[in-house]
Amino acid sequence: MSAVQNVGIVGAGAAGLATAILLAESGADVVVYEAKPSLGALGSGITLQGNALRAFDRLGIWEQVRARSFSFDVTGIRAPGPEAPLVAEMHDNRMGGPDYPATAGMFRPDLAEIMLARAQALGATVRFGTRVTALAQTDDDATLTLATDAGPEEVTHELVVGADGLNSAVRDLIGIETRPEPNGMGIFRAFVERPAGADHTELVFGGPSYIAGFCPTGEDTMYAYLVEDKQDRQGMTAEEGSKIMAELARPYGAHWNAIRAQLEVGVEHINYTWFTSHVVAEPWNRGRAVIIGDAAHSCPPTVAQGAAQAVEDAVVLGDVLTRHDALTDALWAEFHGRRIPRATTVVEASDQLASWLLAHERGDVQGMHTTISELVSQEP
């Protein structure tokens, strides 16, 4: 018998939906509470490395992800400047094992749609427009107070999973004070048409931006990104973002010429976020409430492991909950032992690469990627 049979999950992002899939699959009664009125995933792209793809296979969605993404095993490095000479091509490790490509690029809303459909097909309930305002616990259960369009509501579960992102309400409500800290960088992401020949990620380190890169997401689509000193871009429209990004991209050549031409006209899907970093020290749970994903740890996207680590949290949590027959200290010790060292190493490596970029030092980029590859190739 599983440790819990009735679970409330706060947040319908990757970590929350992955947890819902695994627990609903095991027969638990699962309800996901999402503050947003709809799925509302950021409308750009996401880079998924092999360990994320392996986790999606465990969730039963790998074939759908494969069909709606673009896979490759090479990363190119170009020098800044209008000529953009190719400096190196790195053949990436297949970090999920030989059954999965090294990397897949994907339109982020497509991934969210696939995960939501899988969770609902397995019987999970997803309630949008439902914000958590309070959490109370006893030895036997946890009660959430919800703010809904119909007014306040109380719901009780055997376990509450806080998968509600960087600004987690659950983290606050259970008294964890660690917060994501900006590291001084911000990133533009734009969803654009893929130029001919742009069939794998290429990165440029240096020039007016710290990083200029792109990732193919389909036969004729990709997302492009530029990393700058963090700015207050709140309220930025897609038109404004396109113009700013086009100007930042002006000194870059090769495929960036075609990307810049699209930005100058304006693109529909564009967003801007700050790089943040944090790891909550053990324990991530307080009684019958636990945080995972970006609520528990965040890292700059310099090694493309944010979503992968969030989904791995869910995979491990689902595993320990379905193998143990009660929420014991042994269950939480196993969960923390499997997740905190791995997540911490990824965050530290991401921070180190970001620090090199802030200091205008390239550092051993390939060596860092090799270290990350060796770590995340292992089963979580």
Side-chain angles (χ1 to χ4, degrees):
M1 182 176 178
S2 298
V4 289
Q5 291 295 315
N6 183 316
V7 181
I9 300 171
V10 183
L17 290 175
T19 305
I21 288 168
L22 292 164
L23 296 182
E25 184 181 61
S26 74
D29 182 9
V30 179
V31 183
V32 180
Y33 304 100
E34 171 54 52
K36 295 178 182 176
S38 63
L39 202 55
L42 289 176
S44 59
I46 186 170
T47 299
L48 302 164
Q49 294 180 337
N51 61 314
L53 306 181
R54 179 178 61 202
F56 291 147
D57 204 358
R58 172 63 188 86
L59 299 178
I61 61 172
W62 163 231
E63 292 304 324
Q64 292 169 280
V65 169
R66 187 208 303 263
R68 296 173 70 174
S69 62
F70 190 92
S71 300
F72 51 92
D73 292 324
V74 175
T75 297
I77 307 293
R78 290 187 181 272
E83 300 302 320
L86 187 65
V87 174
E89 280 193 345
M90 299 184 295
H91 290 271
D92 299 323
N93 293 335
R94 292 193 164 200
M95 293 186 289
D99 295 335
Y100 313 100
T103 309
M106 193 171 187
F107 188 43
R108 188 180 290 264
D110 285 352
L111 176 60
E113 180 184 301
I114 289 169
M115 296 186 75
L116 175 64
R118 173 69 171 162
Q120 292 175 325
L122 289 168
T125 299
V126 182
R127 295 180 55 181
F128 292 103
T130 305
R131 184 168 55 87
V132 173
T133 60
L135 191 159
Q137 298 192 56
T138 69
D139 289 342
D140 300 319
D141 55 42
T143 298
L144 296 172
T145 302
L146 310 174
T148 73
D149 290 342
E153 177 184 349
E154 288 190 350
V155 293
T156 299
H157 298 281
E158 294 176 70
L159 175 69
V160 169
V161 179
D164 47 345
L166 294 175
N167 301 310
S168 170
V170 173
R171 186 179 60 216
D172 290 345
L173 291 170
I174 62 176
I176 295 176
E177 297 181 355
T178 305
R179 297 287 182 275
E181 295 292 337
N183 80 338
M185 304 165 100
I187 183 170
F188 280 98
R189 295 180 178 93
F191 196 65
V192 298
E193 294 179 10
R194 181 165 71 88
D199 57 4
H200 57 268
T201 283
E202 287 188 353
L203 301 169
V204 181
F205 295 98
S209 298
Y210 294 109
I211 308 173
F214 58 77
C215 177
T217 57
E219 291 301 320
D220 55 3
T221 62
M222 70 179 188
Y223 79 101
Y225 47 92
L226 291 166
V227 179
E228 63 166 9
D229 289 319
K230 71 179 179 70
Q231 308 287 330
D232 183 359
R233 305 285 191 193
Q234 288 188 343
M236 180 185 72
T237 65
E239 180 181 5
E240 291 167 341
S242 295
K243 290 179 179 178
I244 296 169
M245 197 172 173
E247 190 59 34
L248 287 172
R250 196 161 304 284
Y252 299 108
H255 295 302
W256 275 97
N257 294 323
I259 297 169
R260 185 171 56 255
Q262 296 178 61
L263 292 167
E264 288 172 342
V265 174
V267 300
E268 178 182 358
H269 299 293
I270 191 165
N271 64 73
Y272 185 84
T273 57
W274 286 0
F275 284 12
T276 65
S277 177
H278 81 295
V279 180
V280 172
E282 185 176 346
W284 290 355
N285 75 299
R286 299 291 189 274
R288 290 180 172 267
V290 62
I291 56 171
I292 63 172
D294 283 352
H297 52 82
S298 66
C299 59
T302 44
V303 293
Q305 277 290 307
Q309 292 306 302
V311 175
E312 283 189 1
D313 285 351
V315 169
V316 174
L317 182 62
D319 179 53
V320 297
L321 288 173
T322 53
R323 283 192 300 99
H324 290 251
D325 58 8
L327 286 180
T328 62
D329 290 343
L331 180 153
W332 291 122
E334 180 182 345
F335 173 68
H336 291 124
R338 290 170 62 182
R339 285 309 305 149
I340 291 181
R342 186 176 175 97
T344 299
T345 300
V346 170
V347 170
E348 289 175 349
S350 303
D351 283 343
Q352 184 175 348
L353 185 50
S355 295
W356 283 339
L357 296 172
L358 279 166
H360 302 285
E361 299 172 0
R362 181 168 299 170
D364 183 9
V365 175
Q366 187 164 357
M368 178 62 71
H369 280 279
T370 299
T371 299
I372 292 296
S373 296
E374 291 172 352
L375 171 72
V376 301
S377 294
Q378 305 163 13
E379 290 283 352

